[in-house]
């Protein structure tokens, strides 16, 4: 039996959902929350009101005094630890939960990672090794960390360790200058300095406030990766046992906050520092959560969880109490800022681990739970999914812009086998990723992932090459069109007829033309292709239909219903 959840959302019926959201008119929710967040930032200069702690105090109790082991993983990204002031805010958040003994997973400070990569590129341009010390990216990294250590008053040992890392960083850059080569292993080494320094500085700052905190490099405590791609390492199974052994406190040990580097591992055979690729810090957090058999991993951002649409384009978005892992993966793939799909895999494979997206500016808000669906439970819900509102239709709407579509028509498809295999072989040989597919007896339509075509100045030339190769597959007519948007509806596709009916009704009223429709095999995603020029209007119309909008005279309804 699973232990009792904390911070659970008691929104299991329409009435209790209204009580939880705190508004009889739920359509006002997005505006109210956005306004409250802005007010909090203004009142405290960006420091969350709910977790303001007097930084002048010299001694504070280590959280989790009554616990024997770590109880939760909290992950904070680069913007959360961008500078000294943001680090203070993160410390305030952590210390606002005295009932928890967390493992903290931190990214590099602010723009450190980009500047560390630039260090490698700029080193190639230096005429001699002496010029390396004058590179702007290197000076930025040195200055940022030196100033942060001064403001946070870190201890002498930490200052020595960080200065030693800065010295090693400069030596690596000198090596690049002399060898005139930046290998994948070198790039992985360069970016590793960011997390290694940020975690040491933050752990020292916690200790200065009387908290028992210890820093760990993930690659030194058992995060083992494959050697085949040092910059996108695959976490190997033995990592789980290694991390459990390293992060499990001994009997009678004092409560401790463990501060671990995100994003980093060590090659299985090479022993070289590796990186985990995009979403690597989130992946570190979920791997640690699974290794320690915890119930929850928290990913802290600056919004109230996963929203019903992109708030930069749509007004009155609202947070979703619950997402299944499958829904979250679809959202992430089509561009929503949730978690990278790879980072969800350890939690998906662990039957009891969930991920909660929390708001650093409203720490008591429940956020969004990303969890498991139990198809065998008596009421059709898992413990996690109990946080979902009943009778729901849509979870979220996400738009992917700048999409290219290929229309392939050939009478040779009729009743033949192998035609689609040849089409996809052409795309594979040209390194193109496909987003959405729709087929009929004599035609196939494909959309291409804009992030995986080519640099802009070569895109048209390469597309023309692909078009010629596809036409050579057989008697085929290939049309290429650019400037489209994929609008993906993530939700309860057991009720897809209702979703499609209401979505197309809204699009008809908005006079938006749909060029392609596809339902994913995940059974939680319907994708519609529209022109980029009409993409925002399409999302707005569908969002209004399912989530409502103030002042349009529509019948009030619960989110996504």
């Amino acid at each position: 039996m699973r232990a009792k959840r904390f911070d659970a959302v008691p929104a299991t019926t329409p009435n209790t959902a209204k009580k939880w959201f705190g508004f009889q008119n739920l359509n006002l929710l997005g505006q109210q929350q956005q306004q409250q967040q802005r007010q909090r930032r203004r009142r405290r200069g960006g420091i969350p009101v709910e977790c303001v702690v007097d930084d002048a105090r010299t001694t504070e109790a280590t959280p989790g005094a009554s616990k024997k082991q770590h109880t939760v993983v909290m992950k904070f990204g680069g913007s959360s630890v961008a500078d000294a002031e943001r680090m203070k805010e993160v410390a305030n958040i952590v210390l606002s939960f005295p009932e928890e003994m967390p493992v903290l997973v931190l990214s590099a400070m602010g723009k450190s990672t980009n500047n560390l990569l630039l260090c490698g590129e700029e080193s190639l341009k230096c005429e001699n090794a002496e010029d390396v010390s004058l590179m702007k990216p290197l000076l930025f990294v040195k200055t940022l960390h030196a100033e942060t250590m001064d403001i946070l008053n870190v201890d002498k040992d930490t200052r020595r360790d960080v200065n030693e890392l800065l010295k090693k960083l400069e030596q690596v850059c000198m090596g690049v200058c002399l060898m005139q080569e930046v290998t994948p292993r070198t790039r992985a080494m360069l970016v590793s300095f960011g997390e290694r320094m940020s975690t040491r500085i933050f752990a020292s700052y916690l200790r200065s406030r009387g908290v028992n905190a210890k820093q760990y490099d993930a690659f030194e405590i058992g995060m083992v990766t494959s050697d085949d791609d040092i910059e996108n390492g695959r976490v190997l199974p033995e990592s789980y046992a290694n991390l459990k052994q390293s992060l499990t406190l001994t009997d009678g040990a004092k409560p401790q906050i463990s501060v671990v580097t995100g994003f980093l591992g060590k090659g299985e055979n090479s022993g070289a520092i590796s990186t985990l690729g995009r979403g690597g810090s989130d992946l570190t957090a979920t791997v640690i959560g699974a290794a320690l058999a915890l119930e929850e991993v928290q990913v802290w951002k600056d919004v109230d969880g996963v929203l019903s649409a992109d708030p930069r384009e749509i007004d009155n978005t609202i947070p979703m109490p619950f997402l299944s892992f499958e829904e979250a993966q679809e959202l992430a793939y089509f561009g929503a800022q949730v978690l990278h799909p790879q980072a969800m895999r350890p939690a998906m494979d662990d039957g009891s681990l969930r991920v909660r997206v929390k708001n650093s500016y409203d720490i008591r808000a429940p956020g969004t739970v990303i969890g498991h669906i139990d198809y065998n439970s008596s009421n059709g819900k898992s413990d996690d999914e109990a946080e979902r509102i009943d009778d729901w239709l849509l979870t979220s709407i996400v738009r992917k812009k700048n999409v290219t579509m290929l229309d392939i028509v050939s009478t040779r498809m009729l009743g033949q086998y192998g035609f689609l295999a040849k089409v996809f072989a052409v795309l594979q040989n040209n390194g193109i990723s496909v987003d959405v597919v729709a087929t009929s007896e004599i035609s196939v339509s494909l959309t291409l992932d804009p992030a995986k075509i080519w640099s802009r100045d070569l895109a048209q030339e390469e597309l023309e090459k692909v078009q010629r190769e596809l036409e050579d597959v057989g008697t085929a007519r290939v049309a290429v069109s650019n400037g489209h948007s994929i609008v993906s509806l993530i939700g309860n596709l057991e009720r897809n007829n209702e979703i499609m009916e209401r979505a197309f009704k809204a699009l008809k009223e908005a006079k938006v033309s749909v060029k392609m429709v596809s339902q994913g095999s995940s059974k939680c995603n319907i994708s519609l292709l529209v022109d980029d020029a009409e993409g925002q209007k399409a999302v707005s119309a569908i969002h209004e239909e399912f989530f409502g909008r103030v002042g349009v005279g529509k019948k009030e309804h619960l989110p996504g219903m």
Side-chain angles (χ1 to χ4, degrees), residues 28-101:
L28 293 173
L29 179 62
Q31 286 183 326
Q32 293 277 359
Q33 288 180 327
Q34 291 166 10
Q35 182 179 1
Q36 289 170 0
Q37 281 188 208
R38 288 192 293 268
Q39 289 173 346
R40 292 188 189 106
R41 293 186 182 102
R42 286 196 294 267
R43 289 198 297 267
R44 292 291 182 177
I47 300 176
V49 171
E50 298 86 343
C51 59
V52 172
V53 178
D54 184 2
D55 194 34
R57 282 186 283 180
T58 57
T59 302
E60 298 185 48
T62 302
S66 63
K67 308 296 182 181
K68 296 182 179 180
Q69 298 295 336
H70 294 296
T71 59
V72 66
V73 178
M74 296 181 175
K75 181 264 179 179
F76 295 90
S79 62
S80 295
V81 292
D83 53 35
E85 292 306 314
R86 294 306 306 271
M87 283 194 170
K88 290 180 181 180
E89 294 175 22
V90 170
N92 292 341
I93 291 172
V94 173
L95 297 177
S96 295
F97 294 92
E99 71 278 10
E100 304 295 345
M101 190 198 300

Side-chain angles (χ1 to χ4, degrees), residues 147-196:
E147 290 179 349
T148 301
M149 288 192 291
D150 289 341
I151 294 171
L152 298 182
N153 192 28
V154 303
D155 59 79
K156 291 182 180 179
D157 289 342
T158 297
R159 189 178 294 272
R160 183 189 65 245
D161 291 345
V162 172
N163 286 334
E164 185 64 27
L165 287 171
L166 289 169
K167 181 179 178 180
K168 289 181 180 179
L169 167 62
E170 187 168 340
Q171 290 173 343
V172 172
C173 291
M174 288 181 178
V176 171
C177 171
L178 294 173
M179 297 299 294
Q180 286 297 291
E181 182 181 34
V182 182
T183 65
R185 183 180 293 190
T186 303
R187 282 193 294 270
M189 169 66 78
L190 283 170
V191 298
S192 75
F193 287 103
E195 276 79 5
R196 293 156 75 185

Side-chain angles (χ1 to χ4, degrees), residues 126-134 170 174 177:
C126 293
E127 293 185 2
N128 54 68
E130 288 73 20
D131 295 336
V132 166
S133 62
L134 302 177
E170 187 168 340
M174 288 181 178
C177 171

